[in-house]
Amino acid sequence: EDQVTQSPEALRLQEGESSSLNCSYTVSGLRGLFWYRQDPGKGPEFLFTLYSAGEEKEKERLKATLTKKESFLHITAPKPEDSATYLCAVQPIYGNNRLAFGKGNQVVVIP
Amino acid sequence: ETGVTQSPTHLIKTRGQQVTLRCSSQSGHNTVSWYQQALGQGPQFIFQYYREEENGRGNFPPRFSGLQFPNYSSELNVNALELDDSALYLCASSPVGVAEAFFGQGTRLTVV
C-alpha cells in the first residue's frame, strides 16, 4: 500500500527564518510526487510535480527536491503569507492517477 | 483559479439522509476524482471517473457513488449519512495526458 509520511506536523517560523519540510514515501513504482499548498477551509493549490530522483523545482521562496525515498520542500526567507498547510502526495505508476496524500505540514510564519 | 467549481460550499445534513455534491471542471479535463478530507488529515481518494466510467475506487463503502456527465460536470452521492461522513469533500480534475490534478474549493459537509 502506498504510504506518505510528512514531518514535522507543525512548524512555527520567524519571518525570514528558512526551513525544510520532509515527505517520506513508499510506493510500488512512482509516476510523480506532488506538492500542494492548502489554506484553511480551501481546496489544495498545486505547487510542483517531481518525476525522478535528483529533480528540483523552484517557485518564489519555495524549492522542492526528490530522492528515491523522500522529498523536501525548502522555504527560504519565509513571509507571513507563506503560512499554510503543505501537502505531499504520490501517484503510483500502475493503475489510475489517484493521489495518496500525507497529513500535511502546518506552517505558521510569525512577523 | 483552477477552473474547478464545487457546489454547495457548505451543507448541513441529518444522519440517515442522502446528499448530492456537484463539481464542474474545465473543457478538456476528462478525468475527475473525488476526495474526502477529515479535519487535520490529508485528502483520501474516494473514486475517479474517466470518460463517464468509474476508473478506480478507494476504501469507501458502496453508499458513496458518483456520476460524470458529457459536459465535464460530476456528482458525488452519499446515502445513509453517518456522523463520520462530516468532512471537506474535494473534486479534482485533470486535463488529457497531464498527471497533475487541480482541485476545487471543496464542499464542507456537516452531519448532525
Side-chain angles (χ1 to χ4, degrees):
Chain A
E1 186 176 326
D2 307 322
Q3 288 197 337
V4 177
T5 303
Q6 294 186 244
S7 62
E9 289 187 8
L11 188 63
R12 289 172 66 88
L13 299 171
Q14 291 291 329
E15 184 172 0
E17 177 189 1
S18 301
S19 188
S20 296
L21 311 178
N22 177 264
C23 170
S24 298
Y25 64 91
T26 304
V27 64
S28 53
L30 180 70
R31 174 179 291 161
L33 184 140
F34 302 82
W35 282 98
Y36 286 86
R37 171 194 168 123
Q38 187 174 30
D39 293 309
K42 306 290 186 182
E45 174 190 345
F46 171 76
L47 292 174
F48 304 110
T49 309
L50 301 167
Y51 291 103
S52 56
E55 190 174 359
E56 299 182 351
K57 290 205 175 159
E58 288 188 68
K59 179 181 179 179
E60 296 180 356
R61 294 175 293 282
L62 301 176
K63 179 180 176 180
T65 62
L66 181 65
T67 72
K68 287 187 178 180
K69 293 184 179 181
E70 58 190 353
S71 176
F72 291 93
L73 184 65
H74 308 278
I75 309 177
T76 302
K79 298 183 177 182
E81 53 262 42
D82 296 321
S83 298
T85 295
Y86 292 87
L87 294 166
C88 173
V90 296
Q91 188 176 87
I93 199 166
Y94 302 109
N96 60 33
N97 57 348
R98 69 175 68 187
L99 296 173
F101 281 89
K103 290 185 179 181
N105 307 98
Q106 186 180 40
V107 174
V108 174
V109 182
I110 304 162
Chain B
E1 186 66 41
T2 64
V4 181
T5 305
Q6 293 186 241
S7 62
T9 54
H10 296 84
L11 199 54
I12 300 174
K13 288 287 190 178
T14 303
R15 189 172 52 183
Q17 285 188 315
Q18 179 267 341
V19 69
T20 297
L21 309 182
R22 293 180 172 83
C23 172
S24 177
S25 57
Q26 289 179 319
S27 172
H29 286 214
N30 62 355
T31 301
V32 64
S33 302
W34 286 89
Y35 292 82
Q36 179 196 67
Q37 187 176 23
L39 205 60
Q41 303 295 314
Q44 296 292 313
F45 175 76
I46 303 175
F47 45 58
Q48 182 182 94
Y49 279 80
Y50 174 68
R51 293 185 177 178
E52 303 167 47
E53 299 277 341
E54 188 177 293
N55 183 39
R57 188 177 186 92
N59 293 325
F60 281 82
R63 58 190 186 84
F64 285 78
S65 63
L67 286 171
Q68 185 186 26
F69 302 101
N71 65 353
Y72 306 105
S73 65
S74 175
E75 287 182 356
L76 165 65
N77 298 288
V78 187
N79 293 321
L81 283 166
E82 300 177 359
L83 297 179
D84 284 349
D85 294 333
S86 295
L88 182 68
Y89 287 86
L90 297 162
C91 168
S93 70
S94 300
V96 176
V98 172
E100 291 81 359
F102 298 93
F103 286 82
Q105 79 279 15
T107 294
R108 170 68 64 186
L109 173 65
T110 302
V111 182
V112 297

PDB file of all heavy atoms in Angstrom, chain B residues 84-98:
ATOM      1  N   ASP B  84     -19.561  10.290  10.890  1.00  0.00           N
ATOM      2  CA  ASP B  84     -18.169  10.284  10.419  1.00  0.00           C
ATOM      3  C   ASP B  84     -18.007  10.752   8.977  1.00  0.00           C
ATOM      4  O   ASP B  84     -16.880  10.912   8.502  1.00  0.00           O
ATOM      5  CB  ASP B  84     -17.568   8.877  10.548  1.00  0.00           C
ATOM      6  CG  ASP B  84     -17.222   8.542  11.989  1.00  0.00           C
ATOM      7  OD1 ASP B  84     -17.244   9.465  12.826  1.00  0.00           O
ATOM      8  OD2 ASP B  84     -16.937   7.358  12.270  1.00  0.00           O
ATOM      9  N   ASP B  85     -19.117  10.958   8.285  1.00  0.00           N
ATOM     10  CA  ASP B  85     -19.036  11.477   6.912  1.00  0.00           C
ATOM     11  C   ASP B  85     -18.800  12.981   6.909  1.00  0.00           C
ATOM     12  O   ASP B  85     -18.571  13.574   5.848  1.00  0.00           O
ATOM     13  CB  ASP B  85     -20.320  11.166   6.141  1.00  0.00           C
ATOM     14  CG  ASP B  85     -20.529   9.678   5.924  1.00  0.00           C
ATOM     15  OD1 ASP B  85     -19.522   8.929   5.888  1.00  0.00           O
ATOM     16  OD2 ASP B  85     -21.708   9.261   5.809  1.00  0.00           O
ATOM     17  N   SER B  86     -18.857  13.616   8.065  1.00  0.00           N
ATOM     18  CA  SER B  86     -18.578  15.043   8.165  1.00  0.00           C
ATOM     19  C   SER B  86     -17.137  15.292   7.749  1.00  0.00           C
ATOM     20  O   SER B  86     -16.199  14.724   8.329  1.00  0.00           O
ATOM     21  CB  SER B  86     -18.792  15.531   9.600  1.00  0.00           C
ATOM     22  OG  SER B  86     -20.139  15.413   9.984  1.00  0.00           O
ATOM     23  N   ALA B  87     -16.944  16.125   6.723  1.00  0.00           N
ATOM     24  CA  ALA B  87     -15.609  16.342   6.166  1.00  0.00           C
ATOM     25  C   ALA B  87     -15.686  17.397   5.072  1.00  0.00           C
ATOM     26  O   ALA B  87     -16.770  17.854   4.702  1.00  0.00           O
ATOM     27  CB  ALA B  87     -15.052  15.042   5.574  1.00  0.00           C
ATOM     28  N   LEU B  88     -14.519  17.759   4.551  1.00  0.00           N
ATOM     29  CA  LEU B  88     -14.420  18.596   3.357  1.00  0.00           C
ATOM     30  C   LEU B  88     -14.315  17.656   2.161  1.00  0.00           C
ATOM     31  O   LEU B  88     -13.426  16.791   2.118  1.00  0.00           O
ATOM     32  CB  LEU B  88     -13.183  19.494   3.436  1.00  0.00           C
ATOM     33  CG  LEU B  88     -12.960  20.480   2.276  1.00  0.00           C
ATOM     34  CD1 LEU B  88     -14.034  21.560   2.272  1.00  0.00           C
ATOM     35  CD2 LEU B  88     -11.569  21.121   2.383  1.00  0.00           C
ATOM     36  N   TYR B  89     -15.221  17.775   1.210  1.00  0.00           N
ATOM     37  CA  TYR B  89     -15.206  16.924   0.017  1.00  0.00           C
ATOM     38  C   TYR B  89     -14.635  17.722  -1.146  1.00  0.00           C
ATOM     39  O   TYR B  89     -15.118  18.806  -1.477  1.00  0.00           O
ATOM     40  CB  TYR B  89     -16.616  16.403  -0.287  1.00  0.00           C
ATOM     41  CG  TYR B  89     -17.013  15.349   0.704  1.00  0.00           C
ATOM     42  CD1 TYR B  89     -17.591  15.699   1.921  1.00  0.00           C
ATOM     43  CD2 TYR B  89     -16.773  13.999   0.463  1.00  0.00           C
ATOM     44  CE1 TYR B  89     -17.915  14.745   2.870  1.00  0.00           C
ATOM     45  CE2 TYR B  89     -17.093  13.032   1.398  1.00  0.00           C
ATOM     46  CZ  TYR B  89     -17.657  13.416   2.598  1.00  0.00           C
ATOM     47  OH  TYR B  89     -17.963  12.453   3.537  1.00  0.00           O
ATOM     48  N   LEU B  90     -13.618  17.151  -1.748  1.00  0.00           N
ATOM     49  CA  LEU B  90     -12.857  17.830  -2.787  1.00  0.00           C
ATOM     50  C   LEU B  90     -13.007  17.124  -4.121  1.00  0.00           C
ATOM     51  O   LEU B  90     -12.929  15.892  -4.202  1.00  0.00           O
ATOM     52  CB  LEU B  90     -11.372  17.858  -2.402  1.00  0.00           C
ATOM     53  CG  LEU B  90     -11.023  18.643  -1.134  1.00  0.00           C
ATOM     54  CD1 LEU B  90      -9.643  18.252  -0.623  1.00  0.00           C
ATOM     55  CD2 LEU B  90     -11.088  20.131  -1.401  1.00  0.00           C
ATOM     56  N   CYS B  91     -13.187  17.915  -5.148  1.00  0.00           N
ATOM     57  CA  CYS B  91     -13.225  17.425  -6.515  1.00  0.00           C
ATOM     58  C   CYS B  91     -11.946  17.883  -7.202  1.00  0.00           C
ATOM     59  O   CYS B  91     -11.494  19.023  -7.001  1.00  0.00           O
ATOM     60  CB  CYS B  91     -14.453  18.003  -7.216  1.00  0.00           C
ATOM     61  SG  CYS B  91     -14.490  17.793  -8.999  1.00  0.00           S
ATOM     62  N   ALA B  92     -11.333  16.998  -7.974  1.00  0.00           N
ATOM     63  CA  ALA B  92     -10.108  17.352  -8.687  1.00  0.00           C
ATOM     64  C   ALA B  92     -10.229  16.877 -10.125  1.00  0.00           C
ATOM     65  O   ALA B  92     -10.687  15.761 -10.384  1.00  0.00           O
ATOM     66  CB  ALA B  92      -8.902  16.707  -8.021  1.00  0.00           C
ATOM     67  N   SER B  93      -9.816  17.706 -11.059  1.00  0.00           N
ATOM     68  CA  SER B  93      -9.870  17.283 -12.458  1.00  0.00           C
ATOM     69  C   SER B  93      -8.490  17.419 -13.101  1.00  0.00           C
ATOM     70  O   SER B  93      -7.638  18.177 -12.640  1.00  0.00           O
ATOM     71  CB  SER B  93     -10.901  18.103 -13.239  1.00  0.00           C
ATOM     72  OG  SER B  93     -10.477  19.436 -13.406  1.00  0.00           O
ATOM     73  N   SER B  94      -8.292  16.638 -14.152  1.00  0.00           N
ATOM     74  CA  SER B  94      -7.012  16.616 -14.853  1.00  0.00           C
ATOM     75  C   SER B  94      -7.245  16.736 -16.350  1.00  0.00           C
ATOM     76  O   SER B  94      -8.123  16.064 -16.890  1.00  0.00           O
ATOM     77  CB  SER B  94      -6.263  15.314 -14.568  1.00  0.00           C
ATOM     78  OG  SER B  94      -6.012  15.160 -13.197  1.00  0.00           O
ATOM     79  N   PRO B  95      -6.426  17.558 -17.003  1.00  0.00           N
ATOM     80  CA  PRO B  95      -6.515  17.633 -18.462  1.00  0.00           C
ATOM     81  C   PRO B  95      -6.013  16.333 -19.095  1.00  0.00           C
ATOM     82  O   PRO B  95      -5.325  15.543 -18.453  1.00  0.00           O
ATOM     83  CB  PRO B  95      -5.590  18.800 -18.821  1.00  0.00           C
ATOM     84  CG  PRO B  95      -5.298  19.497 -17.544  1.00  0.00           C
ATOM     85  CD  PRO B  95      -5.436  18.482 -16.456  1.00  0.00           C
ATOM     86  N   VAL B  96      -6.309  16.170 -20.344  1.00  0.00           N
ATOM     87  CA  VAL B  96      -5.865  14.987 -21.075  1.00  0.00           C
ATOM     88  C   VAL B  96      -4.346  14.899 -21.063  1.00  0.00           C
ATOM     89  O   VAL B  96      -3.653  15.876 -21.365  1.00  0.00           O
ATOM     90  CB  VAL B  96      -6.377  15.059 -22.536  1.00  0.00           C
ATOM     91  CG1 VAL B  96      -5.836  13.884 -23.341  1.00  0.00           C
ATOM     92  CG2 VAL B  96      -7.877  15.097 -22.573  1.00  0.00           C
ATOM     93  N   GLY B  97      -3.815  13.728 -20.680  1.00  0.00           N
ATOM     94  CA  GLY B  97      -2.386  13.480 -20.742  1.00  0.00           C
ATOM     95  C   GLY B  97      -1.547  14.200 -19.708  1.00  0.00           C
ATOM     96  O   GLY B  97      -0.319  14.228 -19.814  1.00  0.00           O
ATOM     97  N   VAL B  98      -2.186  14.752 -18.688  1.00  0.00           N
ATOM     98  CA  VAL B  98      -1.460  15.500 -17.654  1.00  0.00           C
ATOM     99  C   VAL B  98      -1.633  14.789 -16.327  1.00  0.00           C
ATOM    100  O   VAL B  98      -2.738  14.397 -15.968  1.00  0.00           O
ATOM    101  CB  VAL B  98      -1.983  16.947 -17.563  1.00  0.00           C
ATOM    102  CG1 VAL B  98      -1.376  17.671 -16.360  1.00  0.00           C
ATOM    103  CG2 VAL B  98      -1.692  17.699 -18.838  1.00  0.00           C
TER     104      VAL B  98
END
